[in-house]
Amino acid sequence: MATMVFGELQGREKLEEVGRLIDTLEKDLKEKTLSPSQKVQTLLTVRQYGTKPENADPIYSKRGIEVLAKYGFEGETADIRRAALRCIANALLLNSSTRQIFVDTGYGGKLAERLKTDNSEDEMIVSRILFLCTYDTTMDFDKLIKQHSLGDNVNYQIARHAKQFPKNGKKATSQLDELALTDTLKLVFNVAKLYPDLADTFTPSIPHIFKIISRIEIPSQPLDGLIGYLINALSTLDLDEKKGKFESSPLFPKFNQNCNVDKLINILDQAVSEYKSEELDSRAVPLLHLLITIYELAPEGPRKYMQWLLLPEDNDRSQPIGRSDTLSSKLLRLSTTPSTHLKTAISELMFVLSGKNAENLTKNIGYGFAAGFLASRGMEIPQNAGEAFSTSNGGFDPDINPITGQRWDAEPKDNGPPMSKEEKEREAERLFVLFERAKERGLIPEHPVAQAAREGRLEELPDDADSD
């Protein structure tokens, strides 16, 4: 019957009922007339009404938040405290002005201490409230870390969840466990991002995050859900394996230096096949930046492994680079999309994989893909495409088309009739215009015709000359 009444109450009736419930809870703080089960039921009803802020003003008021906070931290049973904190988490999510009201109650320290728990429901509620308090409040996270063990408790939770991902791949986590871990990872990301000086607090979690990534099953939407939050959290932390920082390398473990790299690239491979470019712009950029960071920290073995997986192979050169179905080709095609952050991150990854060398980059991905990126960075472009494909003796590599990166012997042969004089003139005019546009955009330093004339390589032909 109570549920039906809840569903029917609207407008002023709802407002009066919510006010009555808050009055009842406030009164009982002094008179202690409600049983524990009655308190829980009253708090759950308050939470139900609060799922829609309209005509629920007493919940979002200073008095309402203070009453709920007292039950959340001083309630006599875990169920009472949990129900009250759920009300608060819901209020902070739906009405941002309540976040500072909660911070002003002074319960932030107790909340951080409450994160030391083996109950995933409690972890989820506490982490969610702390996460919401990272926005537009005066919550002192430095104090929470130094005086109330916030960092230790966050690291405890991530280590606890890492144990739920065994080597045999049989998931031991429930949906509630994953939701709790997600909220804790969101808290790590925001604290480390907003307060960089506090990021080192979460360094002990780095090995456990990599452990989870290496063992987690990749879902059909690879970067949605838990994997995305694990990657986001890592992207804010210092992964440099300074001496004494870790007992053993979490990035490149001795038993398999390539295991983390392999899993992350596998995630990327599935992601570029699954999402549209506009979806990847928000989802894949942290992963691309993480791969860049890992490559720059990697020893020679993992570096070569990453180059092998991410740069075009010889097989890719059977057609112009970027046309095949390999991961490197998919990434290069995405580097030409309008998604600014995505194409910049992909180009940066290719540049780093090429030793941050303009000629190596051009050789690896072709002059067409490399020129725009180098120009946008204000870097000197090779004087001509052939320079990037020169042999060790300084001459051109005769096997590679320097513009497309394709092998000459793989290019389609023209078996049609020879071009007429008029067709040749039209084609020459078209190429002249294309080269002129490329020069204006900074893609080439000098028009090839002007360069040939300057170097004395042009020959004047008589009007009646016939040339093939």
Side-chain angles (χ1 to χ4, degrees), residues 136-155:
D136 305 319
T137 75
T138 59
M139 181 75 87
D140 188 344
F141 283 92
D142 183 62
K143 182 178 179 181
L144 297 187
I145 288 170
K146 292 178 179 177
Q147 298 182 22
H148 299 282
S149 305
L150 175 62
D152 292 338
N153 294 343
V154 164
N155 294 331

Side-chain angles (χ1 to χ4, degrees), residues 194-468:
L194 297 172
Y195 310 100
D197 291 344
L198 303 180
D200 284 348
T201 302
F202 307 116
T203 293
S205 286
I206 292 174
H208 302 294
I209 294 176
F210 273 113
K211 179 180 177 181
I212 295 172
I213 289 175
S214 69
R215 296 180 177 182
I216 195 171
E217 184 178 348
I218 304 175
S220 57
Q221 298 286 312
L223 294 174
D224 286 7
L226 187 55
I227 286 181
Y229 292 111
L230 288 161
I231 290 170
N232 286 347
L234 281 178
S235 71
T236 64
L237 303 180
D238 181 7
L239 302 181
D240 191 0
E241 298 177 337
K242 300 180 180 72
K243 187 175 181 181
K245 188 173 180 179
F246 303 107
E247 290 184 11
S248 59
S249 172
L251 280 73
F252 315 103
K254 290 182 180 179
F255 68 87
N256 183 354
Q257 283 192 315
N258 295 327
C259 67
N260 289 322
V261 165
D262 193 60
K263 186 62 173 283
L264 290 170
I265 293 177
N266 194 6
I267 293 169
L268 178 63
D269 192 11
Q270 294 188 42
V272 297
S273 299
E274 185 64 32
Y275 299 109
K276 298 177 181 177
S277 61
E278 57 268 25
E279 295 173 318
L280 286 168
D281 200 35
S282 59
R283 289 174 170 85
V285 171
L287 174 54
L288 291 164
H289 284 308
L290 179 60
L291 287 170
I292 290 170
T293 299
I294 289 175
Y295 181 83
E296 293 186 314
L297 296 172
E300 184 178 4
R303 280 195 171 197
K304 288 184 176 179
Y305 189 67
M306 292 180 74
Q307 291 171 349
W308 177 59
L309 289 176
L310 293 169
L311 291 174
E313 304 177 52
D314 288 340
N315 292 338
D316 290 314
R317 300 187 187 278
S318 59
Q319 53 189 315
I321 288 179
R323 298 277 183 86
S324 72
D325 197 41
T326 61
L327 174 58
S328 59
S329 289
K330 292 174 185 176
L331 289 173
L332 289 175
R333 289 197 295 273
L334 285 168
S335 73
T336 65
T337 65
S339 304
T340 304
H341 299 300
L342 178 63
K343 67 182 181 182
T344 300
I346 291 172
S347 298
E348 185 69 32
L349 175 62
M350 295 296 174
F351 185 58
V352 169
L353 290 168
S354 302
K356 297 183 178 181
N357 179 280
E359 291 189 2
N360 286 344
L361 177 68
T362 308
K363 184 173 183 179
N364 285 332
I365 68 175
Y367 195 72
F369 284 112
F373 171 72
L374 294 173
S376 69
R377 300 253 316 198
M379 296 186 67
E380 185 176 348
I381 303 170
Q383 287 299 303
N384 58 61
E387 287 186 6
F389 289 87
S390 62
T391 64
S392 57
N393 297 324
F396 296 138
D397 186 336
D399 297 327
I400 300 294
N401 180 333
I403 300 295
T404 66
Q406 184 180 12
R407 296 195 315 275
W408 287 113
D409 62 13
E411 291 196 342
K413 302 296 187 293
D414 183 6
N415 297 317
M419 295 172 67
S420 67
K421 180 179 179 182
E422 291 76 13
E423 287 174 329
K424 292 177 182 179
E425 289 175 349
R426 286 197 298 270
E427 183 65 14
E429 183 177 354
R430 187 182 71 85
L431 289 172
F432 187 91
V433 172
L434 288 176
F435 280 126
E436 189 65 28
R437 289 176 181 171
K439 178 178 177 296
E440 290 174 357
R441 295 175 183 176
L443 299 180
I444 57 176
E446 186 177 3
H447 196 296
V449 175
Q451 182 181 358
R454 178 171 51 79
E455 295 174 354
R457 293 188 285 110
L458 284 185
E459 180 182 352
E460 193 74 32
L461 296 176
D463 292 340
D464 60 350
D466 186 14
S467 171
D468 58 4

